[in-house]
Amino acid sequence: MGRAPCCDKANVKRGPWSPEEDAKLKSYIEHHGTGGNWIALPNKIGLKRCGKSCRLRWLNYLRPNIKHGGFSEEEDNIICSLYVSIGSRWSIIAAQLPGRTDNDIKNYWNTKLKKKLGGKQPPNQVSHPNILSSMQTHHHLITDPTSTSISHLNLNACTTQLPISPTNINHHHDDMISFQLPQPHHSLFINSTNLPSSSATTENNTNTNTSSHDSPTIFQAAFQSFPINHHDFTHFVDVKTEQQVLEDAMLDLAMDMDLGIIMSSTQTITTSPSSHITSQSHHPFISQTQTIMPQFHCAFHDATYFGMQ
DNA sequence: AACAATTGCAACCGCGTTTAA
DNA sequence: CTTAAACGCGGTTGCAATTGT
């Protein structure tokens, strides 16, 4: 037995809205509000429309400050980065773009951005719907309970300091060191675009000419080095703000899952051996400034949990 | 010019979640 | 606590406009 229909389909108008219908709906809501009941709204106004249809029309077209078309490059970047991070959570993505609706962004993605990105897939659909709640649960992130917006995440609990001692540091080159992480399943910030092209083994590689340190654009830097043979890549430590930590953790997680790269029990980190750990950090989508800190923070997540469950 | 294919987007559908009785 | 109604979201569809042959 299915759910009861929200309205009498035989007695409601469907299809495109007329200017008169728009005017009625807009005028009524501006003067009286929705009354918290969309289903009852059409009757009050005298519209032969389904309540859900009224809601959609208002949210997507009639409410104030709605923007249509003309997506900026910055908006492209935000959409792409969030899509790679959290998948098709259009309402969350729309919440980051004032004036944009989830429907608009969804259409824009499906018709424009997806093609430009060459068909890159979002995170594992099995896992990603719970990514935010999982991160909150397992890393004690505190969120504003009234908001699902990523920007409200409290990042303070998302960082930890790695105990680096002389015993687990290995010197490889004059300018490079590596060391082992002490705990299993801690994955790191892995920015594929940090990888020198010579160390990133690529398959079906058709475009590796662009320097990874160029100012990244979504179409130039993103996934440029993918797919990577995971036996042959080196993790570069990023030193970054806590805000960046979360953004990158989410993006890197998405990429790990997309690529099937699951963190093993130990990780090698390579960075430059100065008194301050510094590393160039180019996110696939988000350009970020260089940060230098006397000690670095490392956000971690349980890759096994996210990737395998 | 005619037709087919493709594109872009508004609107609908169905289902999971939330709310209120 | 239970359950039905309503909400909100993401996926899909339908169709007009545009482009290609």
Coordinates of all heavy atoms in Angstrom, one line a residue, chain A residues 105-180:
Chain A
I105 N 21.1 24.8 -8.9 CA 22.5 24.3 -8.8 C 22.5 22.9 -9.4 O 23.4 22.5 -10.1 CB 22.9 24.3 -7.3 CG1 23.1 25.8 -6.9 CG2 24.3 23.5 -7.2 CD1 23.4 25.9 -5.4
K106 N 21.5 22.1 -9.1 CA 21.4 20.7 -9.6 C 21.4 20.7 -11.1 O 22.1 20.0 -11.8 CB 20.1 20.1 -9.0 CG 19.9 18.7 -9.5 CD 18.7 18.0 -8.8 CE 17.5 18.8 -8.9 NZ 16.3 18.2 -8.2
N107 N 20.5 21.6 -11.7 CA 20.5 21.7 -13.1 C 21.8 22.2 -13.7 O 22.2 21.7 -14.7 CB 19.3 22.6 -13.5 CG 18.0 22.0 -13.4 OD1 17.8 20.8 -13.5 ND2 17.0 22.8 -13.1
Y108 N 22.3 23.2 -13.1 CA 23.6 23.7 -13.6 C 24.7 22.7 -13.5 O 25.5 22.5 -14.5 CB 24.0 24.9 -12.7 CG 25.2 25.6 -13.2 CD1 25.3 26.1 -14.5 CD2 26.3 25.8 -12.3 CE1 26.4 26.8 -14.9 CE2 27.4 26.5 -12.7 CZ 27.5 27.0 -14.0 OH 28.6 27.6 -14.4
W109 N 24.7 21.9 -12.5 CA 25.7 20.8 -12.4 C 25.5 19.8 -13.5 O 26.4 19.4 -14.2 CB 25.7 20.1 -11.0 CG 26.5 18.9 -11.0 CD1 26.0 17.6 -11.2 CD2 27.9 18.8 -10.8 NE1 27.1 16.7 -11.1 CE2 28.2 17.4 -10.9 CE3 28.9 19.7 -10.5 CZ2 29.5 17.0 -10.7 CZ3 30.2 19.3 -10.4 CH2 30.5 17.9 -10.5
N110 N 24.3 19.4 -13.6 CA 24.0 18.3 -14.6 C 24.2 18.7 -16.0 O 24.5 17.9 -16.8 CB 22.5 17.8 -14.4 CG 22.4 16.9 -13.2 OD1 23.3 16.2 -12.8 ND2 21.2 17.0 -12.6
T111 N 24.0 20.0 -16.3 CA 24.1 20.4 -17.7 C 25.5 21.0 -18.1 O 25.8 21.0 -19.2 CB 23.0 21.4 -18.0 OG1 23.1 22.5 -17.2 CG2 21.6 20.8 -17.9
K112 N 26.2 21.5 -17.1 CA 27.4 22.2 -17.4 C 28.6 21.7 -16.7 O 29.6 21.2 -17.3 CB 27.3 23.7 -17.0 CG 26.1 24.5 -17.6 CD 26.5 25.0 -19.0 CE 25.3 25.7 -19.6 NZ 24.7 26.8 -18.9
L113 N 28.6 21.8 -15.4 CA 29.8 21.5 -14.6 C 30.2 20.0 -14.7 O 31.4 19.7 -14.8 CB 29.6 21.9 -13.1 CG 29.4 23.3 -12.9 CD1 29.2 23.6 -11.4 CD2 30.6 24.1 -13.4
K114 N 29.3 19.1 -14.7 CA 29.6 17.7 -14.8 C 30.5 17.4 -16.0 O 31.4 16.7 -16.0 CB 28.4 16.9 -14.7 CG 28.6 15.4 -14.6 CD 27.3 14.7 -14.2 CE 26.2 14.8 -15.3 NZ 25.0 14.0 -14.9
K115 N 30.0 18.0 -17.1 CA 30.8 17.7 -18.4 C 32.2 18.3 -18.3 O 33.1 17.8 -18.8 CB 30.0 18.3 -19.5 CG 28.7 17.6 -19.8 CD 27.7 18.4 -20.7 CE 26.4 17.8 -20.7 NZ 25.4 18.7 -21.4
K116 N 32.2 19.5 -17.8 CA 33.5 20.2 -17.7 C 34.5 19.4 -16.8 O 35.7 19.4 -17.1 CB 33.4 21.6 -17.1 CG 32.8 22.6 -18.1 CD 32.8 24.0 -17.5 CE 32.1 25.0 -18.4 NZ 32.1 26.3 -17.8
L117 N 34.0 18.8 -15.8 CA 34.9 18.0 -14.9 C 35.2 16.6 -15.5 O 35.9 15.8 -14.8 CB 34.2 17.9 -13.6 CG 34.6 19.0 -12.6 CD1 33.9 18.8 -11.3 CD2 36.1 19.1 -12.4
G118 N 34.6 16.3 -16.6 CA 34.9 15.0 -17.2 C 34.4 13.8 -16.6 O 35.0 12.7 -16.6
G119 N 33.2 14.0 -15.9 CA 32.5 12.8 -15.4 C 33.0 12.3 -14.1 O 32.8 11.1 -13.7
K120 N 33.8 13.1 -13.4 CA 34.2 12.6 -12.0 C 33.0 12.4 -11.2 O 32.1 13.1 -11.1 CB 35.1 13.7 -11.4 CG 36.6 13.6 -11.9 CD 37.2 12.3 -11.5 CE 38.5 12.1 -12.2 NZ 39.0 10.7 -12.0
Q121 N 33.1 11.3 -10.4 CA 32.0 10.9 -9.6 C 32.1 11.5 -8.2 O 33.2 11.7 -7.7 CB 31.9 9.4 -9.6 CG 31.7 8.8 -10.9 CD 30.4 9.2 -11.5 OE1 29.3 9.1 -10.9 NE2 30.5 9.8 -12.7
P122 N 31.0 11.6 -7.6 CA 31.0 12.0 -6.2 C 31.4 10.9 -5.3 O 31.7 9.8 -5.8 CB 29.5 12.3 -5.9 CG 28.8 11.4 -6.8 CD 29.6 11.3 -8.1
P123 N 31.5 11.1 -4.0 CA 32.0 10.1 -3.1 C 31.0 8.9 -3.2 O 29.9 9.0 -3.6 CB 31.9 10.7 -1.7 CG 31.7 12.2 -2.0 CD 31.3 12.4 -3.4
N124 N 31.5 7.8 -2.6 CA 30.8 6.6 -2.6 C 29.4 6.8 -2.0 O 29.2 7.3 -1.0 CB 31.5 5.6 -1.6 CG 30.9 4.3 -1.6 OD1 29.7 4.1 -1.7 ND2 31.7 3.3 -1.5
Q125 N 28.4 6.5 -2.9 CA 27.1 6.8 -2.5 C 26.6 6.0 -1.3 O 25.7 6.4 -0.6 CB 26.1 6.5 -3.7 CG 26.4 7.4 -4.9 CD 26.1 8.8 -4.6 OE1 25.1 9.2 -4.0 NE2 27.0 9.7 -5.0
V126 N 27.2 4.9 -1.0 CA 26.8 4.2 0.2 C 27.2 4.9 1.5 O 26.5 4.9 2.4 CB 27.5 2.8 0.2 CG1 27.2 2.1 1.5 CG2 27.0 2.0 -1.0
S127 N 28.3 5.6 1.4 CA 28.8 6.2 2.6 C 28.5 7.7 2.8 O 28.3 8.1 3.8 CB 30.4 6.1 2.7 OG 30.7 4.7 2.6
H128 N 28.5 8.4 1.7 CA 28.5 9.8 1.8 C 27.2 10.4 2.4 O 27.3 11.5 3.0 CB 28.9 10.5 0.5 CG 27.7 10.9 -0.3 ND1 27.4 10.1 -1.4 CD2 26.8 11.8 -0.3 CE1 26.3 10.6 -2.0 NE2 25.9 11.7 -1.3
P129 N 26.1 9.8 2.3 CA 24.9 10.5 2.9 C 25.1 10.7 4.4 O 24.4 11.6 4.9 CB 23.8 9.5 2.6 CG 24.2 8.8 1.4 CD 25.7 8.6 1.5
N130 N 25.9 10.0 5.0 CA 26.0 10.1 6.4 C 27.4 10.8 6.8 O 27.8 10.8 8.0 CB 25.9 8.8 7.1 CG 24.6 8.1 6.9 OD1 23.6 8.8 7.0 ND2 24.6 6.9 6.6
I131 N 28.0 11.4 5.8 CA 29.3 11.8 6.1 C 29.4 12.9 7.2 O 30.2 12.8 8.1 CB 30.0 12.4 4.8 CG1 31.4 12.8 5.1 CG2 29.2 13.5 4.2 CD1 32.1 13.1 3.8
L132 N 28.4 13.8 7.1 CA 28.5 14.9 8.1 C 28.2 14.4 9.5 O 28.9 14.6 10.4 CB 27.5 16.0 7.7 CG 27.9 16.8 6.5 CD1 26.8 17.8 6.2 CD2 29.2 17.6 6.8
S133 N 27.1 13.6 9.6 CA 26.8 13.1 10.9 C 27.9 12.1 11.4 O 28.2 12.1 12.6 CB 25.4 12.3 10.8 OG 25.5 11.3 9.9
S134 N 28.5 11.4 10.5 CA 29.6 10.5 10.9 C 30.7 11.2 11.4 O 31.3 10.9 12.5 CB 30.0 9.6 9.7 OG 28.9 8.8 9.3
M135 N 31.1 12.3 10.7 CA 32.2 13.1 11.2 C 31.9 13.7 12.6 O 32.8 13.7 13.4 CB 32.5 14.2 10.2 CG 33.1 13.7 8.9 SD 33.6 15.0 7.8 CE 35.1 15.4 8.6
Q136 N 30.7 14.1 12.7 CA 30.3 14.7 14.0 C 30.4 13.6 15.1 O 30.9 13.8 16.2 CB 28.9 15.3 14.0 CG 28.8 16.5 13.1 CD 27.4 16.8 12.6 OE1 26.5 16.4 13.2 NE2 27.3 17.4 11.4
T137 N 29.8 12.4 14.8 CA 29.8 11.4 15.8 C 31.2 10.9 16.2 O 31.5 10.8 17.4 CB 29.0 10.2 15.2 OG1 27.7 10.7 14.9 CG2 28.9 9.1 16.2
H138 N 32.0 10.7 15.2 CA 33.3 10.1 15.5 C 34.4 11.0 15.8 O 35.4 10.6 16.2 CB 33.6 9.1 14.3 CG 32.6 8.0 14.2 ND1 32.7 6.9 14.9 CD2 31.5 7.9 13.5 CE1 31.7 6.1 14.6 NE2 31.0 6.7 13.8
H139 N 34.2 12.2 15.5 CA 35.3 13.2 15.8 C 34.8 14.3 16.7 O 35.4 15.3 16.9 CB 35.8 13.7 14.5 CG 36.3 12.6 13.7 ND1 37.3 11.7 14.0 CD2 35.8 12.2 12.5 CE1 37.4 10.8 13.1 NE2 36.5 11.1 12.1
H140 N 33.6 14.1 17.3 CA 33.1 15.0 18.3 C 33.0 16.4 17.8 O 33.2 17.4 18.5 CB 34.0 14.9 19.6 CG 34.3 13.5 19.9 ND1 33.4 12.6 20.4 CD2 35.5 12.8 19.8 CE1 33.9 11.4 20.6 NE2 35.2 11.5 20.3
L141 N 32.7 16.5 16.6 CA 32.5 17.9 16.1 C 31.2 18.4 16.6 O 30.2 17.7 16.8 CB 32.4 17.8 14.5 CG 33.7 17.5 13.8 CD1 33.5 17.4 12.3 CD2 34.8 18.5 14.2
I142 N 31.1 19.6 16.9 CA 29.9 20.3 17.4 C 29.3 21.1 16.3 O 30.0 21.9 15.7 CB 30.3 21.1 18.7 CG1 31.0 20.3 19.7 CG2 29.1 21.8 19.2 CD1 31.7 21.1 20.8
T143 N 28.1 20.9 16.1 CA 27.5 21.7 15.1 C 26.3 22.5 15.7 O 25.8 22.2 16.7 CB 26.9 20.9 14.0 OG1 25.9 20.0 14.5 CG2 28.0 20.0 13.3
D144 N 26.0 23.5 15.0 CA 24.8 24.3 15.3 C 23.6 23.4 15.0 O 23.4 23.0 13.8 CB 24.8 25.5 14.4 CG 23.5 26.3 14.6 OD1 22.6 25.8 15.3 OD2 23.4 27.4 14.0
P145 N 22.8 23.0 16.0 CA 21.8 22.0 15.7 C 20.7 22.5 14.8 O 20.0 21.7 14.3 CB 21.2 21.8 17.1 CG 21.6 23.0 17.9 CD 22.9 23.4 17.3
T146 N 20.6 23.8 14.6 CA 19.6 24.3 13.7 C 20.1 24.4 12.3 O 19.3 24.8 11.4 CB 19.2 25.7 14.1 OG1 20.3 26.6 14.0 CG2 18.7 25.8 15.6
S147 N 21.3 24.0 12.0 CA 21.8 24.2 10.7 C 22.6 23.0 10.2 O 23.2 22.3 11.0 CB 22.8 25.4 10.6 OG 23.4 25.4 9.4
T148 N 22.4 22.6 9.0 CA 23.2 21.6 8.4 C 24.3 22.1 7.6 O 25.0 21.4 6.9 CB 22.3 20.7 7.5 OG1 21.7 21.5 6.5 CG2 21.3 19.9 8.3
S149 N 24.5 23.4 7.7 CA 25.5 24.1 6.9 C 26.9 23.7 7.3 O 27.2 23.7 8.5 CB 25.3 25.6 6.9 OG 26.5 26.2 6.4
I150 N 27.7 23.3 6.4 CA 29.1 23.0 6.7 C 29.8 24.1 7.4 O 30.6 23.9 8.2 CB 29.8 22.6 5.4 CG1 29.2 21.3 4.8 CG2 31.3 22.4 5.6 CD1 29.7 21.1 3.4
S151 N 29.5 25.3 7.0 CA 30.2 26.4 7.5 C 30.0 26.6 9.0 O 30.7 27.4 9.7 CB 29.8 27.7 6.8 OG 28.4 28.0 7.0
H152 N 29.0 25.9 9.6 CA 28.7 26.1 11.0 C 29.5 25.0 11.8 O 29.4 25.0 13.0 CB 27.2 25.9 11.3 CG 26.5 27.1 10.8 ND1 26.1 27.3 9.5 CD2 26.0 28.1 11.5 CE1 25.4 28.4 9.5 NE2 25.3 28.9 10.6
L153 N 30.2 24.1 11.2 CA 30.9 23.1 11.9 C 31.9 23.7 12.8 O 32.7 24.6 12.4 CB 31.6 22.1 11.0 CG 30.6 21.3 10.2 CD1 31.4 20.4 9.2 CD2 29.8 20.4 11.1
N154 N 32.0 23.3 14.1 CA 33.0 23.7 15.0 C 34.2 22.8 14.8 O 34.1 21.6 14.9 CB 32.5 23.6 16.4 CG 33.5 24.1 17.4 OD1 34.7 23.8 17.3 ND2 33.1 24.8 18.4
L155 N 35.3 23.4 14.5 CA 36.5 22.6 14.1 C 37.4 22.3 15.2 O 38.4 21.6 15.0 CB 37.2 23.3 13.0 CG 36.3 23.7 11.8 CD1 37.1 24.6 10.8 CD2 35.8 22.5 11.1
N156 N 37.2 22.9 16.3 CA 38.2 22.8 17.4 C 38.6 21.4 17.7 O 39.7 21.1 18.1 CB 37.7 23.5 18.6 CG 37.6 25.0 18.4 OD1 38.3 25.5 17.5 ND2 36.7 25.7 19.1
A157 N 37.6 20.5 17.7 CA 37.9 19.1 18.1 C 38.4 18.3 17.0 O 38.6 17.1 17.2 CB 36.6 18.5 18.8
C158 N 38.6 18.8 15.9 CA 39.0 18.1 14.7 C 40.5 18.0 14.5 O 40.9 17.4 13.6 CB 38.3 18.7 13.5 SG 38.4 17.6 12.0
T159 N 41.2 18.5 15.4 CA 42.6 18.5 15.3 C 43.3 17.7 16.4 O 42.8 17.6 17.5 CB 43.2 19.9 15.2 OG1 42.9 20.5 16.5 CG2 42.6 20.7 14.1
T160 N 44.4 17.2 16.1 CA 45.2 16.6 17.1 C 46.7 16.8 16.7 O 47.0 17.1 15.5 CB 45.0 15.0 17.1 OG1 45.7 14.5 18.2 CG2 45.4 14.3 15.9
Q161 N 47.6 16.7 17.6 CA 49.0 16.8 17.3 C 49.6 15.5 17.2 O 49.5 14.6 18.1 CB 49.6 17.7 18.3 CG 49.1 19.1 18.3 CD 49.9 20.0 19.2 OE1 50.9 19.6 19.8 NE2 49.3 21.2 19.4
L162 N 50.4 15.3 16.2 CA 51.1 14.0 16.0 C 52.4 14.1 16.8 O 53.2 15.0 16.7 CB 51.4 13.8 14.6 CG 50.3 13.4 13.7 CD1 50.7 13.3 12.3 CD2 49.6 12.2 14.2
P163 N 52.7 13.1 17.5 CA 53.9 13.0 18.2 C 55.1 12.6 17.3 O 55.2 11.5 16.9 CB 53.7 11.9 19.3 CG 52.7 11.0 18.6 CD 51.8 11.9 17.8
I164 N 55.9 13.6 16.9 CA 57.0 13.3 16.1 C 58.2 13.3 16.9 O 58.6 14.2 17.6 CB 57.1 14.4 15.0 CG1 55.8 14.4 14.2 CG2 58.3 14.1 14.1 CD1 55.8 15.6 13.2
S165 N 58.9 12.2 16.9 CA 60.1 12.1 17.7 C 61.3 11.7 16.7 O 61.0 11.2 15.6 CB 60.0 11.0 18.7 OG 59.9 9.7 18.1
P166 N 62.5 11.9 17.1 CA 63.6 11.6 16.3 C 63.6 10.1 15.8 O 64.2 9.7 14.8 CB 64.8 11.9 17.1 CG 64.3 12.9 18.1 CD 62.9 12.5 18.4
T167 N 63.0 9.3 16.6 CA 63.1 7.8 16.3 C 62.2 7.4 15.1 O 62.4 6.4 14.5 CB 62.6 7.0 17.5 OG1 61.3 7.4 17.9 CG2 63.5 7.2 18.7
N168 N 61.2 8.2 14.8 CA 60.4 7.8 13.7 C 60.5 8.8 12.5 O 59.7 8.8 11.6 CB 58.9 7.7 14.1 CG 58.3 9.0 14.6 OD1 59.0 10.1 14.5 ND2 57.1 8.9 15.1
I169 N 61.6 9.5 12.5 CA 61.9 10.4 11.3 C 63.0 9.7 10.5 O 64.0 9.3 11.0 CB 62.3 11.8 11.8 CG1 61.2 12.5 12.4 CG2 62.8 12.6 10.6 CD1 61.5 13.9 12.9
N170 N 62.8 9.6 9.2 CA 63.8 9.1 8.3 C 64.2 10.2 7.3 O 63.3 10.9 6.8 CB 63.2 8.0 7.5 CG 62.7 6.9 8.4 OD1 63.4 6.4 9.3 ND2 61.5 6.4 8.2
H171 N 65.5 10.4 7.2 CA 66.0 11.3 6.2 C 66.2 10.6 4.9 O 67.0 9.7 4.8 CB 67.3 12.0 6.7 CG 67.0 12.9 7.9 ND1 66.9 14.3 7.8 CD2 66.8 12.6 9.2 CE1 66.6 14.8 9.0 NE2 66.6 13.8 9.9
H172 N 65.6 11.1 3.9 CA 65.8 10.5 2.6 C 66.7 11.3 1.7 O 67.5 10.8 1.0 CB 64.4 10.4 1.9 CG 63.5 9.4 2.5 ND1 63.8 8.1 2.6 CD2 62.3 9.6 3.2 CE1 62.8 7.4 3.3 NE2 61.9 8.3 3.6
H173 N 66.5 12.6 1.7 CA 67.2 13.4 0.8 C 67.7 14.6 1.6 O 67.3 14.8 2.7 CB 66.3 13.9 -0.4 CG 65.6 12.8 -1.1 ND1 66.3 11.9 -1.9 CD2 64.3 12.4 -1.0 CE1 65.4 11.0 -2.3 NE2 64.2 11.3 -1.8
D174 N 68.4 15.5 0.9 CA 68.8 16.7 1.6 C 67.7 17.5 2.0 O 67.7 18.2 3.0 CB 69.7 17.5 0.6 CG 71.1 16.9 0.4 OD1 71.4 16.0 1.2 OD2 71.7 17.2 -0.6
D175 N 66.6 17.5 1.3 CA 65.5 18.4 1.6 C 64.2 17.7 1.9 O 63.2 18.2 1.9 CB 65.3 19.3 0.4 CG 65.0 18.6 -0.8 OD1 65.2 17.4 -0.9 OD2 64.5 19.2 -1.8
M176 N 64.3 16.4 2.2 CA 63.1 15.7 2.4 C 63.3 14.7 3.6 O 64.3 14.1 3.8 CB 62.7 14.8 1.2 CG 62.4 15.7 0.0 SD 61.0 16.7 0.1 CE 59.7 15.6 -0.4
I177 N 62.2 14.6 4.4 CA 62.2 13.6 5.4 C 60.9 12.9 5.4 O 59.9 13.3 4.8 CB 62.4 14.2 6.8 CG1 61.3 15.2 7.1 CG2 63.7 14.9 7.0 CD1 61.2 15.7 8.5
S178 N 60.8 11.8 6.1 CA 59.5 11.1 6.2 C 59.5 10.5 7.6 O 60.5 10.4 8.3 CB 59.3 10.0 5.2 OG 60.2 8.9 5.5
F179 N 58.3 10.2 8.1 CA 58.2 9.6 9.4 C 56.9 8.8 9.4 O 56.0 8.9 8.5 CB 58.2 10.6 10.5 CG 57.2 11.7 10.4 CD1 55.9 11.5 10.9 CD2 57.5 12.8 9.7 CE1 55.0 12.5 10.8 CE2 56.6 13.9 9.6 CZ 55.3 13.7 10.2
Q180 N 56.8 7.9 10.4 CA 55.7 7.0 10.4 C 54.6 7.5 11.4 O 54.9 8.0 12.5 CB 56.1 5.6 10.9 CG 57.1 5.0 10.0 CD 56.6 4.6 8.7 OE1 55.6 3.9 8.6 NE2 57.2 5.0 7.6

